[in-house]
Amino acid sequence: MENEKQKEFILKGDLWKVIFDLSWPAVIAMVLLGANNVLDGIFVGHFAEEGALAGISVALPPVIIIIGLGILIGSGAGTLLSISIGAEDKEAQKRIPGNVNFLTLAVSLIVMILGFLLSEQTLFLMGGRGEALARGNEYYRTVLAAAPVWIYSIALNNLIRSEGKMKTAAIIMGTGLVVNGFSNYVLMVIFNFGIKGAAMGTNIGMAVQALIAVLYFIKKEKAAPSSVFNIKCDRNILGKIVSMGLAGFIMQLTGTIQMFLVLNVISRYGSSGDIAFYGVVTRLFSFIIQPIGGFMFALSPVIGINFGADRPERLVSAFKRFLCIALVLIIPLWILMLAFPGAAISLMIKSPQLNFQDIIHFRIYMALLPVMPLVFLALGFFPAINKGKISSVLGILQQIVFYIPVMLILPAFIGVGGVYYGTFLIEVLSGVPVLILLVREFRLLRTGRTKWREIKE
């Protein structure tokens, strides 16, 4: 019944009100998600042992892979659920939870086995050396122990958002963040667990999120609570989930490859201080663009439900309005980052000793912020109209085809600065094909050439 009311609201309600009601809790949820990374950085930068900040920087890429797998399962299943709600495909809706459970178990098992076997080698490839490698390995292995909890928590939160329950998802995430912060304080400040305490605190926060999400689904499915825990391996559903969630995972995976490349480049042309500084810059950047991720998640059910219900004009209009609002939100943050770089960096580094080049590099990286709304929303748009392959190709084009050659060539001539200048160039240029493909898809939707076909056995 609740899903039906939400569906009617998304299909027939005032579009600005729909966008506002779904966006603000999703934006808050993503800010809270980004705050998890920043929180770890703050505690590690101020209360952990020497080399810990560089350690979490080299551990971040493989941790992002774990997050990406949760996004793959959750966004894929969530997108399929949104479209199925719009198309009134009840059978598909019933088959989704069991397949999510199967994917979570299978993926978690693979991640933990490979992760524990290859943790030190992985962090060495990320540029970890000496204390940075030792501390990073301690952090990463502690996170690995809770990998199933991370993946399940992220997946379930995505499913809740796909129903249009953005407020519920935000409250669950906010609760996890509060628990994370409290746990970090207790473990790092009171018990002096160092970098391991930061990882344990985040694990505890994720566990609380997963537990609350499970209780939500049990309450929602009170007529048949066993459906929350069943395990199904339906090849058709699994294929749809993977196809629709692949773009989000590819972004995380290619982002990890990007960080692997960058950390090794900085390790070659710079110092451990440069690695730590890059980690601070990327964490702050990720935190700033988290609200855009919120708009992307809010966009998904609006586009998916309207797509399933064959409402092309409404979904095109919704995309344009989401883009306008995202730009309005990001521009003030962009100005603040460019105007006060020292204040931003001091959040994670005690008494930062910044030189002129550090400030320039920081501002170049932050100058990308206005480009991100178009890219993020496009990557959420294509899977929601059952064209996730386009988002996957765009992600590979941007982060592999463009990024690798630039990062191998430019730093060889201008050193560490090449990482920052190259990133700016790649992101700006990659916005062009995104815009072209969006305009083309709007035309296909309006002419009826792009339509949803229900899942068949």
Side-chain angles (χ1 to χ4, degrees):
M1 182 63 71
E2 289 185 26
N3 281 352
E4 289 299 320
K5 289 181 180 178
Q6 193 69 11
K7 172 187 168 183
E8 288 301 306
F9 175 59
I10 289 173
L11 289 176
K12 299 179 181 178
D14 177 76
L15 198 49
W16 282 115
K17 180 172 174 52
V18 170
I19 293 171
F20 177 78
D21 283 5
L22 295 184
S23 293
W24 74 261
V27 167
I28 290 174
M30 293 309 294
V31 169
L32 294 174
L33 180 61
N36 270 306
N37 274 334
V38 174
L39 199 61
D40 273 1
I42 291 172
F43 274 98
V44 168
H46 289 80
F47 301 110
E49 56 271 53
E50 186 177 350
L53 196 57
I56 63 170
S57 294
V58 298
L60 184 59
V63 171
I64 288 175
I65 291 293
I66 295 174
I67 295 171
L69 290 167
I71 291 173
L72 183 153
I73 298 169
S75 64
T79 300
L80 179 58
L81 180 60
S82 294
I83 296 174
S84 300
I85 290 171
E88 299 184 354
D89 189 346
K90 303 290 186 182
E91 182 59 29
Q93 294 175 44
K94 292 178 183 177
R95 290 153 61 190
I96 290 172
N99 286 276
V100 168
N101 292 338
F102 173 81
L103 272 176
T104 299
L105 289 172
V107 167
S108 297
L109 183 62
I110 294 170
V111 166
M112 293 180 74
I113 291 173
L114 293 179
F116 279 115
L117 287 175
L118 304 172
S119 64
E120 193 166 332
Q121 296 91 323
T122 300
L123 299 185
F124 186 86
L125 287 174
M126 297 300 154
R129 304 291 186 274
E131 280 299 305
L133 176 60
R135 300 285 77 79
N137 195 39
E138 189 177 0
Y139 181 86
Y140 178 48
R141 291 177 74 87
T142 306
V143 168
L144 270 176
V149 173
W150 281 59
I151 293 171
Y152 201 47
S153 172
I154 295 167
L156 291 183
N157 206 270
N158 274 271
L159 273 179
I160 294 170
R161 281 196 293 262
S162 71
E163 298 177 337
K165 306 291 180 54
M166 302 296 172
K167 294 177 187 176
T168 302
I171 291 170
I172 293 173
M173 196 171 289
T175 304
L177 178 65
V178 170
V179 171
N180 180 13
F182 177 76
S183 300
N184 276 353
Y185 181 81
V186 171
L187 294 169
M188 298 184 71
V189 181
I190 297 178
F191 291 104
N192 198 29
F193 277 19
I195 194 170
K196 187 173 183 178
M200 291 170 64
T202 307
N203 288 350
I204 293 169
M206 285 290 187
V208 169
Q209 287 187 51
L211 176 62
I212 297 173
V214 167
L215 292 175
Y216 164 83
F217 281 109
I218 289 175
K219 181 180 178 182
K220 179 174 176 283
E221 302 292 337
K222 56 187 175 183
S226 61
S227 64
V228 177
F229 301 105
N230 67 9
I231 298 173
K232 290 184 178 296
C233 183
D234 185 322
R235 292 174 60 185
N236 204 1
I237 294 289
L238 291 176
K240 288 289 184 185
I241 290 174
V242 172
S243 174
M244 291 178 174
L246 193 59
F249 175 69
I250 285 178
M251 286 300 294
Q252 300 291 323
L253 176 62
T254 53
T256 301
I257 295 171
Q258 169 184 322
M259 291 194 74
F260 155 72
L261 182 61
V262 168
L263 289 170
N264 276 277
V265 166
I266 295 176
S267 180
R268 179 176 180 181
Y269 296 104
S271 65
S272 61
D274 292 314
I275 291 176
F277 181 76
Y278 179 77
V280 168
V281 173
T282 52
R283 280 174 182 267
L284 285 170
F285 185 84
S286 296
F287 178 65
I288 294 297
I289 63 175
Q290 287 299 325
I292 308 307
F295 284 113
M296 182 176 74
F297 284 121
L299 174 81
S300 184
V302 176
I303 299 300
I305 289 175
N306 278 284
F307 176 64
D310 197 20
R311 302 285 297 275
E313 286 295 338
R314 186 171 174 85
L315 72 85
V316 170
S317 179
F319 180 90
K320 292 178 179 178
R321 297 186 191 196
F322 268 105
L323 181 59
C324 289
I325 296 173
L327 286 169
V328 168
L329 178 65
I330 204 73
I331 287 175
L333 298 173
W334 171 61
I335 293 171
L336 285 173
M337 287 295 105
L338 296 183
F340 306 106
I345 294 168
S346 66
L347 285 172
M348 283 191 275
I349 300 179
K350 288 186 291 188
S351 305
Q353 302 296 316
L354 303 175
N355 58 40
F356 178 74
Q357 284 300 320
D358 289 334
I359 298 296
I360 292 296
H361 294 163
F362 181 86
R363 284 176 168 154
I364 288 170
Y365 209 94
M366 294 299 164
L368 287 170
L369 287 171
V371 179
M372 306 316 292
L374 177 68
V375 175
F376 268 55
L377 292 179
L379 293 175
F381 173 80
F382 288 112
I385 59 168
N386 198 29
K387 292 195 174 180
K389 289 181 181 178
I390 293 179
S391 290
S392 302
V393 170
L394 286 173
I396 292 171
L397 179 69
Q398 178 194 44
Q399 308 235 19
I400 301 295
V401 177
F402 289 165
Y403 206 91
I404 290 178
V406 171
M407 287 300 139
L408 289 176
I409 296 170
L410 204 54
F413 290 95
I414 61 175
V416 171
V419 169
Y420 298 91
Y421 289 103
T423 301
F424 179 85
L425 178 66
I426 292 161
E427 293 287 352
V428 171
L429 290 179
S430 63
V432 176
V434 169
L435 187 59
I436 291 171
L437 287 169
L438 274 172
V439 172
R440 173 181 176 273
E441 199 55 54
F442 290 164
R443 185 177 67 252
L444 293 176
L445 284 162
R446 284 166 169 155
T447 57
R449 293 170 65 187
T450 297
K451 282 192 174 183
W452 169 244
R453 303 291 182 265
E454 289 188 4
I455 294 175
K456 302 297 181 186
E457 291 289 348

